[in-house]
Amino acid sequence: MEIRKVNRMKFASVNAKCPSYSENHVLYVGAHTGSFKRINPHADDPFKQENLQPIEVLNKTSKITCMEFGNADRTELLIGRANRCVKVFDLKKEESISNFEVGTGEVVGLGRSNGCIVVGCADGTVQIVKYPEPVKFSVGENLSRLHLCPDDERLMVTGGKLLKQIIKVWDLETQQVLFQARNVKKVLELEQHVWDNDVVFVNRNVIASCSRHGYVRVYDTRGATRRPVQGFTSSDPDDQLAFSCLASHGDYLYAGTTTFGARAFDLRRMKNHIHVYKGFTGTVTSIRVDPSGNHLFTGCLDRYVRVHHAHRTALEYRCYVKSKPTQVLGIEWKEEPEVYKQNAVEGANDDIVYIQSDHEGSDAEYEQMFSKMPTVK
């Protein structure tokens, strides 16, 4: 009997950081298992991960399906899960402010409008959480993504699967459709497939979508035709792209794919992509741009969180997070001013008195006298 030895390939989790990557970013990662982590790439240990919630309470329905900032200062985070739960998280205190359940399907969109939280579910239910009674309305079934306009919080864009869920812009105050896109022209009298997997506001008047069917389209809501004003569709039969997520900054769109990493497009000429971001070995599940527009934050099913330079396309940071990341957000870490730190200490220790002196008006004799005084316990 011949005995053959079977060698099992062990997956190696290799972290890496480029010496030129010196930005003070803090990354917040939501995972398929429901875990919520923080990573500080600028810290002494740039790959250390800290769970910001107990993992013992997680189950198969705790998957994080969307994350958005709740305010312009990016100090509040809105987290939506597959089990209809929404969490409001304070990034400064690093604690949960509130938790509640919405709708009957997984959460696919979050945002704030006039101080109220707007939640969209996969079954098409949109709820504006306000006192004393929430406002509920339906945008149709098979909803894939919902986003609020950062320039006008009254506007909301939705997109989903099938022609009935083609991209639409809504007025949250009246719950009415302000703009509904038209599909591209028919080919051989056949309607083209529609699946707007992700939708974003480029600005107040321009919106964009990406699809599992391999297209990225841009619409101008002021146009009369309501058809795409710019678009990309791969014509190479060997390069069948399926886009999974979308982000925008300035004149550029960034789209993650299911097999070929991420790509960048110029809104002014979208027949071809301008950049390709490599290093991925699976579907890109989340893509975001930092406020400066110089860095991309991505999560991938290969369990890595990455930071690419948006213009040089160089991979600057990579961290293995053990569970599949579904959402990634990044902020610029800023140290609190000393006066805030001192006020926080005074609030916690009211019996401690701090003596502040002005160096310009200080007295050397006074300083020497106080330095010789014994400490009273």
Side-chain angles (χ1 to χ4, degrees):
M1 180 183 296
E2 183 181 0
I3 300 177
R4 295 182 180 179
K5 185 178 180 180
V6 179
N7 293 323
R8 294 184 178 179
M9 184 182 301
K10 184 177 180 181
F11 183 81
S13 57
V14 180
N15 298 324
K17 180 181 178 181
C18 182
S20 62
Y21 178 51
S22 58
E23 303 295 327
N24 292 331
H25 290 144
V26 179
L27 305 180
Y28 293 93
V29 182
H32 193 276
T33 59
S35 61
F36 176 49
K37 303 178 181 180
R38 182 193 63 201
I39 307 174
N40 294 346
H42 65 276
D44 295 335
D45 184 358
F47 310 111
K48 182 180 179 181
Q49 304 164 36
E50 182 177 352
N51 287 312
L52 298 180
Q53 73 167 55
I55 60 176
E56 295 82 7
V57 300
L58 302 177
N59 53 48
K60 294 181 179 180
T61 64
S62 300
K63 172 185 175 182
I64 294 180
T65 53
C66 63
M67 289 200 315
E68 297 291 341
F69 290 112
N71 54 13
D73 296 333
R74 300 194 171 196
T75 59
E76 181 185 80
L77 203 60
L78 306 177
I79 304 172
R81 300 182 182 272
N83 57 7
R84 304 179 293 113
C85 291
V86 176
K87 173 182 287 189
V88 183
F89 192 85
D90 191 318
L91 295 180
K92 283 189 173 181
K93 299 179 180 179
E94 291 195 344
E95 62 181 16
S96 178
I97 300 176
S98 63
N99 295 275
F100 54 91
E101 292 187 2
V102 176
T104 59
E106 70 176 33
V107 180
V108 296
L110 287 168
R112 275 195 182 273
S113 177
N114 293 327
C116 302
I117 298 177
V118 180
V119 186
C121 297
D123 61 357
T125 302
V126 176
Q127 180 169 324
I128 304 174
V129 183
K130 60 169 58 177
Y131 181 83
E133 291 293 334
V135 176
K136 298 181 182 179
F137 63 100
S138 177
V139 298
E141 297 179 352
N142 300 313
L143 181 65
S144 296
R145 190 60 66 191
L146 172 155
H147 276 295
L148 270 64
C149 180
D151 300 326
D152 189 345
E153 58 186 15
R154 298 175 303 167
L155 302 180
M156 176 184 73
V157 60
T158 61
K161 195 173 182 179
L162 304 179
L163 186 60
K164 291 183 178 180
Q165 270 296 1
I166 196 169
I167 189 168
K168 302 183 185 72
V169 177
W170 299 74
D171 187 335
L172 287 173
E173 293 183 352
T174 62
Q175 296 89 52
Q176 299 296 320
V177 177
L178 300 178
F179 170 84
Q180 179 173 344
R182 293 177 63 189
N183 198 8
V184 294
K185 294 181 178 180
K186 296 181 180 180
V187 177
L188 299 176
E189 298 301 321
L190 297 176
E191 195 78 46
Q192 298 298 296
H193 295 292
V194 173
W195 186 357
D196 293 320
N197 194 57
D198 200 358
V199 288
V200 294
F201 276 98
V202 177
N203 55 49
R204 191 181 185 280
N205 299 310
V206 179
I207 50 182
S209 68
C210 70
S211 173
R212 295 278 183 175
H213 294 308
Y215 62 76
V216 178
R217 293 171 181 169
V218 179
Y219 301 83
D220 192 331
T221 58
R222 297 165 295 185
T225 62
R226 294 183 289 140
R227 284 198 167 100
V229 294
Q230 290 285 348
F232 169 86
T233 303
S234 177
S235 58
D236 186 355
D238 297 328
D239 188 15
Q240 296 297 323
L241 292 179
F243 294 101
S244 55
C245 50
L246 192 64
S248 71
H249 187 277
D251 292 328
Y252 300 98
L253 282 176
Y254 303 93
T257 72
T258 58
T259 52
F260 296 96
R263 302 196 175 194
F265 300 91
D266 190 328
L267 287 168
R268 295 160 291 189
R269 46 187 183 277
M270 287 190 59
K271 289 186 177 181
N272 295 294
H273 58 266
I274 59 173
H275 295 310
V276 177
Y277 305 94
K278 300 180 180 179
F280 305 91
T281 56
T283 299
V284 179
T285 56
S286 177
I287 186 167
R288 301 294 177 122
V289 193
D290 76 327
S292 68
N294 293 325
H295 295 87
L296 294 181
F297 310 126
T298 56
C300 183
L301 288 184
D302 60 8
R303 292 179 169 85
Y304 277 97
V305 170
R306 294 175 173 87
V307 180
H308 283 81
H309 195 282
H311 309 300
R312 292 188 286 107
T313 72
L315 177 61
E316 297 186 321
Y317 176 81
R318 179 180 64 198
C319 181
Y320 184 75
V321 293
K322 297 182 181 179
S323 53
K324 299 175 183 178
T326 56
Q327 296 291 320
V328 178
L329 288 177
I331 63 172
E332 186 75 17
W333 181 82
K334 296 181 180 179
E335 186 176 2
E336 293 183 358
E338 291 295 329
V339 63
Y340 294 143
K341 293 183 179 179
Q342 180 179 336
N343 290 340
V345 173
E346 289 178 354
N349 304 281
D350 295 333
D351 57 338
I352 300 178
V353 178
Y354 294 89
I355 300 176
Q356 295 182 343
S357 62
D358 187 359
H359 292 287
E360 295 181 356
S362 61
D363 191 335
E365 185 178 354
Y366 249 132
E367 296 292 337
Q368 185 178 6
M369 181 183 67
F370 276 109
S371 65
K372 294 181 179 179
M373 293 181 67
T375 301
V376 180
K377 298 183 179 180

